Amino acid sequence: EGNESGFVHRDVKPGNIMLTPGGSMKLMDFGVARLDDAPSGTQAGELRGTIAYMAPEQASGQDTTAAADQFAAALIVLEMLTGDPAWGDLRGSGILARVVAGDVSEGLQKVSVDDPLRPVLERMLARAPKDRFGTAADAARALRMLRATRATPPALPDFVREELVWFQDNGGGTAPVPSWSGSEGSAG
């Protein structure tokens, strides 16, 4: 259930993903990260991370493994694919209730049942960590295999296109992947 680094980031979200000058993405801000086999360091009832990108077990205050980071990564992929936050127009406690319930149906309904990406996202977004991919590498491998089989990539949502234009106009320096300001509902 872990990843190869042995860390659980616990706050994977668009604002913590940076683009390098070469165009690759790097995960940043390890402020609430912990070793996969270390105690969580959180008090009972305390949430650490960003509610809109939490896995159900994390939002419920249970111990989190790297499977929680996989859940968050799938939410980001879902947003990139649909151009909308996975939780729609919900905010704060509305998002938290959906996260705890593991109900991602609103976001997933925007992905065609015929899209080969849908079963990969459904697995990454499984409510129970044991039902997700065994490792982040397994999930990444499934996503790469799909990318290799697509004849043409899907059209980029406007917000991604705008970010790429900004990136190019500013000398290709490090730029954050766009986040949904106001809809993330940070905790901790």
Side-chain angles (χ1 to χ4, degrees), residues 49-139:
T50 303
I51 294 169
Y53 298 95
M54 283 184 182
E57 65 275 15
Q58 183 178 6
S60 299
Q62 300 170 23
D63 283 339
T64 55
T65 65
D69 292 344
Q70 187 183 133
F71 189 95
L75 289 172
I76 295 168
V77 171
L78 185 60
E79 285 187 20
M80 291 173 66
L81 186 65
T82 65
D84 292 316
W87 310 111
D89 294 332
L90 292 175
R91 300 286 182 267
S93 62
I95 292 174
L96 184 59
R98 284 266 183 89
V99 171
V100 169
D103 179 6
V104 293
S105 59
E106 185 173 341
L108 276 173
Q109 74 184 6
K110 296 177 183 177
V111 180
S112 168
V113 293
D114 297 327
D115 190 322
L117 185 56
R118 187 171 176 138
V120 174
L121 287 174
E122 287 173 340
R123 185 167 178 192
M124 292 175 73
L125 292 167
R127 187 177 193 304
K130 68 177 180 51
D131 295 332
R132 297 179 200 143
F133 286 94
T135 66
D138 293 339

Side-chain angles (χ1 to χ4, degrees), residues 13-25:
K13 63 182 179 181
N16 284 342
I17 300 172
M18 305 297 273
L19 294 174
T20 67
S24 62
M25 291 185 274

